[in-house]
Amino acid sequence: MTACGTQSSSTIEKAKDDEYYFNRRFRQVIGIPPKQFARQYKQKTVVKDWTGHEVAIPRSPHRVIYHGETFGDMLIFDVQPIGGDKNSISKSFYKNHVPYIQDVAFPINLEKSSKLNPDLIIFTNNDEQQYQALSSIAPTVTLNSWDSLEERVLLLGQWLSQQQRAEDWLEYFKIQENTMWQQYKQ
């Protein structure tokens, strides 16, 4: 075998190693294999948001910007938001639960949001002008942060394709809440 033949076979081996390494790292970071991610990313579902927009969103979004005062609701789900108002998050009890979140400022900064390349933006504001600007970056849905906890969590569960997780969490929350009130009455 010539040196040239040996070189090309070692190049093929290196490419295979790189592919396996990429697949392993992708799965560690994103939580699913690249092919499954690509299939899910292509699949869309149409939802109606708080302000009446019908929006085609990814069936299982992974790169989510959540901009609003009820950011803690996102911690229920198996989605690590990539962007939010870091100033308000840094003053919250859950600041250590989102160490890698990028700041998109308040009011939301379009340039910072765009650089994060989100596949979904959840925005707790009914400002139509801001909505239109954000929806030019990625599918954007508005969420009423004044809705009840149950309504918000169920809606997020629907949008994130984690309805069962939302229902289970709410059931657990109600048990904890009842226990707390029982202890308080004693």
Side-chain angles (χ1 to χ4, degrees):
M1 180 89 35
T2 65
C4 195
T6 306
Q7 185 179 12
S8 74
S9 101
S10 72
T11 302
I12 291 169
E13 289 302 313
K14 179 154 176 42
K16 282 183 183 175
D17 289 344
D18 288 346
E19 180 183 348
Y20 295 130
Y21 174 77
F22 171 79
N23 287 336
R24 260 193 331 274
R25 287 293 297 149
F26 190 94
R27 186 180 184 122
Q28 287 172 342
V29 172
I30 302 299
I32 57 175
K35 285 183 182 178
Q36 183 180 350
F37 178 85
R39 279 192 307 271
Q40 287 178 350
Y41 188 76
K42 288 178 185 174
Q43 295 177 349
K44 303 252 183 200
T45 187
V46 176
V47 300
K48 191 169 187 175
D49 71 7
W50 165 44
T51 51
H53 304 104
E54 289 192 4
V55 185
I57 64 172
R59 183 154 294 148
S60 295
H62 294 281
R63 299 187 54 77
V64 178
I65 292 176
Y66 187 98
H67 196 271
E69 57 276 346
T70 55
F71 186 90
D73 294 353
M74 282 295 289
L75 301 180
I76 295 166
F77 301 98
D78 218 7
V79 174
Q80 181 71 257
I82 59 169
D85 176 15
K86 203 162 186 175
N87 185 42
S88 67
I89 292 168
S90 69
K91 298 173 187 167
S92 70
F93 75 95
Y94 50 78
K95 64 184 170 196
N96 296 328
H97 295 281
V98 286
Y100 304 113
I101 194 154
Q102 298 296 306
D103 186 30
V104 294
F106 183 85
I108 194 165
N109 182 295
L110 297 175
E111 186 178 341
K112 287 181 178 183
S113 298
S114 182
K115 285 181 181 176
L116 293 177
N117 195 27
D119 55 15
L120 178 63
I121 299 172
I122 300 172
F123 184 56
T124 63
N125 193 318
N126 64 353
D127 182 314
E128 187 63 26
Q129 205 169 14
Q130 283 185 315
Y131 173 85
Q132 291 301 325
L134 288 170
S135 64
S136 71
I137 296 169
T140 302
V141 288
T142 59
L143 177 69
N144 185 353
S145 60
W146 297 102
D147 273 346
S148 70
L149 175 65
E150 183 173 357
E151 289 172 308
R152 293 191 322 264
V153 169
L154 289 173
L155 196 52
L156 287 170
Q158 176 193 349
W159 292 345
L160 301 171
S161 294
Q162 296 187 31
Q163 293 93 327
Q164 188 61 53
R165 188 178 194 104
E167 291 169 14
D168 292 347
W169 187 89
L170 286 167
E171 184 178 328
Y172 175 77
F173 178 80
K174 287 175 186 172
I175 291 168
Q176 294 296 97
E177 182 181 37
N178 288 336
T179 301
M180 181 214 43
W181 284 115
Q182 291 301 322
Q183 290 173 350
Y184 177 73
K185 290 176 184 178
Q186 293 176 358

